[in-house]
Every structure is written in structure tokens, then in C-alpha cells.
Amino acid sequence: MVTDNTAFRIGRMSVGLQNLWRPMSGDGPLAAYEGQIATRSFIPTGVDTVNLQANSRTHHRARTNIIDLGVEVPGWYWARTTTLAEVLVAGITYEASIEYPKDTFTRITFGGGNSGGSGRSDIMPFVIPKGRKYWLRFFIVGSAAGIVFSESTAASRLLVQDQNTDCDSMEYGVTVTNKVMGGTIVNTDPANTSRQFFPTAIFGTTTWPTALLVGNSRQRGFGDTFDANGDIGEFARSIGPEYAYINLGSSGDSLSQYIASNTNRTYLKRY
């Protein structure tokens, strides 16, 4: 049951804010559909209007036998400490790549080109067996409106490891060298406190249930500890070993705030 103002969906099985449970029909795989195919998608909760370029590397686990892959990248953030609303940020461009195996890079295109704005990338034919770890890289360039990122502190532990242990890293500045197709990305911030950029969805063809996790700091994983797969938060650590998920959790969020401003987050339920 859900006890923390959290909405939860897994495939055709769901728990709503009213704490109702509807079981999924059947025990086997679903018919093939386009959905979330990996762990560790998060929403942005901050904006930087000074440092307008960044490189990001994040690790994920395949939770289906991946045969194709695309990413959803945001042009918005959830302003959890100011307006308590989703704020649009215009003019961000992205380049992206898949790193699998380690140190082998395949570019993800946007409309057939190397870069694109917020929204969906092209879906790329690519094979990653279920359960394997892989990485996504992004080179991010913002306009005067800024670039977006997920906040982290030593207490929140959104990041606990850097690239030296093959996990997450982000470097940012007024200008940075593009490392989307290779090069070591070293955290600009001190260890365990770095901001990080995550795709808001990693989508492809799947036959397995997926989860969309909505809630507050408990859902986000504030003060929690990563498990061996890098999952964090009260639902993600139980779901992540088997199922793909998108974690919309944010410290201080509430049902009333979500109802008041949810367009970009609710859009992600399509996956």
C-alpha cells in the first residue's frame, strides 16, 4: 500500500493516490509496446543560467532484452524550492550517445542529426541483453535561459559514486569540451554532492511492465542508500532489480502541488 502521497504504476498494475490496487491481468509478458526499458530516469529540479554547457554520464540497467533505444530529454524543470511548479526552459540542445560495452560509443540522433532540442530522440536499433549495465552520455548546451539538472547533496545521495567506479558524473562550465563520444568526465562538484543530468525517459520496444513513480523525498530517495544496481528510493529499490522505471519523486512535493502543475511529468506516463 502507498502511505506517502505517492502514485504508482507498473505495467497494467497500478496504485493511485487513493491507495487502490488493481492487479495486472496474467502473469506473463505483455504484448510488445514502446515503453521505459531501463532503470534510473529522473526529473530535473534545478536550472543554471551561468554555466551553459555540460557533459553528463549516467549508468542504467536494461530491464528487458533491448533491441532499440531512444531518450527523452527535458526542456523544463520542477522548481521545488521556488515556484513549486514546472518551469519551461527554452533553447537547450542535446547530443547523446550509448556507451556499451564500456568505452564503446554509439551516437543517438535527433531527427537524423547529431543534436536536437528537448523531447524525443530518434529510436536507434541497438542490442543490450536484459540485466546488463550500460551508460548514456549527453553534451548539453543552453541558451540564456539556462540548462537543467537534478540536484544532489551529500545528504540526498542522488549521486554516491563518480566515474572512477563506473557510475555517474557531470562536468559543467561556461564552456566545456564535448565528450559525448569519449573522454573522461570528472565531476565539477565535490564527490557525493554533484548535480547530475538524467534523461527523463529511456524508451524502446518491451514486453515487460514498467513503473512511473510519483512522490516526495521518500520516493526520490533522500537520505537513502543505493543498492548494488544503483537504485534508490522506497519503491525504486524494490522494483529496480526486475522492472524499468521513471522516478518523478522530488523532495517536498505534495498531491496539491502535483495537481497544480504536472503537464511535463504526467506526459511521461506514456512510457
Side-chain angles (χ1 to χ4, degrees), residues 31-44:
Y33 69 102
E34 183 183 270
Q36 180 77 0
I37 56 175
T39 58
R40 307 188 75 244
S41 284
F42 296 93
I43 61 169

Side-chain angles (χ1 to χ4, degrees), residues 5 17 38 50 71 75 78 87 91 94 125 146 203 210 212 214 231-232 234 236 239 259 261:
N5 250 13
L17 291 157
V50 176
V71 294
W78 167 248
V87 179
Y94 295 94
F203 59 86
T210 62
L212 182 71
V214 183
D231 299 318
I232 195 169
E234 61 181 0
I239 294 166
I259 290 173
S261 180

Side-chain angles (χ1 to χ4, degrees), residues 226-244:
F226 280 111
D227 65 15
N229 294 315
D231 299 318
I232 195 169
E234 61 181 0
F235 282 144
R237 285 199 292 126
S238 62
I239 294 166
E242 292 294 331
Y243 298 107

Side-chain angles (χ1 to χ4, degrees), residues 177-237:
T177 300
N178 184 341
K179 297 179 181 177
V180 74
M181 296 300 290
T184 301
I185 300 173
V186 179
N187 283 329
T188 299
D189 296 324
N192 300 343
T193 64
S194 177
R195 63 180 65 177
Q196 183 61 51
F197 175 82
F198 292 89
T200 49
I202 308 165
F203 59 86
T205 303
T206 184
T207 58
W208 289 94
T210 62
L212 182 71
L213 309 179
V214 183
N216 55 23
S217 57
R218 292 170 61 181
Q219 191 72 274
R220 182 71 168 193
F222 187 90
D224 199 1
T225 302
F226 280 111
D227 65 15
N229 294 315
D231 299 318
I232 195 169
E234 61 181 0
F235 282 144
R237 285 199 292 126

Side-chain angles (χ1 to χ4, degrees), residues 11 17 20 36 46 62 83 130 133 160 164 172 180 190-191 205-206 238:
L17 291 157
L20 297 179
Q36 180 77 0
T83 61
K130 185 178 181 181
K133 179 178 178 177
V160 296
N164 295 328
Y172 59 90
V180 74
T205 303
T206 184
S238 62

Side-chain angles (χ1 to χ4, degrees), residues 66-171:
I66 293 175
I67 59 172
D68 49 25
L69 184 152
V71 294
E72 182 92 31
V73 289
W76 60 276
Y77 71 103
W78 167 248
R80 69 175 188 87
T81 61
T82 54
T83 61
L84 303 178
E86 295 177 354
V87 179
L88 298 180
V89 180
I92 306 175
T93 60
Y94 295 94
E95 295 184 36
S97 69
I98 307 162
E99 183 181 346
Y100 180 82
K102 183 183 175 183
D103 297 326
T104 300
F105 305 95
T106 301
R107 185 178 288 277
I108 299 172
T109 59
F110 294 81
N114 287 346
S115 65
S118 60
R120 289 165 56 98
S121 74
D122 299 328
I123 189 163
M124 314 296 294
F126 200 87
V127 174
I128 304 175
K130 185 178 181 181
R132 295 289 179 85
K133 179 178 178 177
Y134 65 96
W135 299 264
L136 293 173
R137 287 188 176 226
F138 295 90
F139 176 59
I140 308 162
V141 178
S143 68
I147 61 174
V148 297
F149 59 89
S150 295
E151 300 164 291
S152 181
T153 67
S156 71
R157 297 192 182 97
L158 182 57
L159 294 178
V160 296
Q161 300 166 313
D162 63 20
Q163 195 180 41
N164 295 328
T165 48
D166 290 327
C167 291
D168 305 313
S169 48
M170 183 175 181
E171 60 184 17

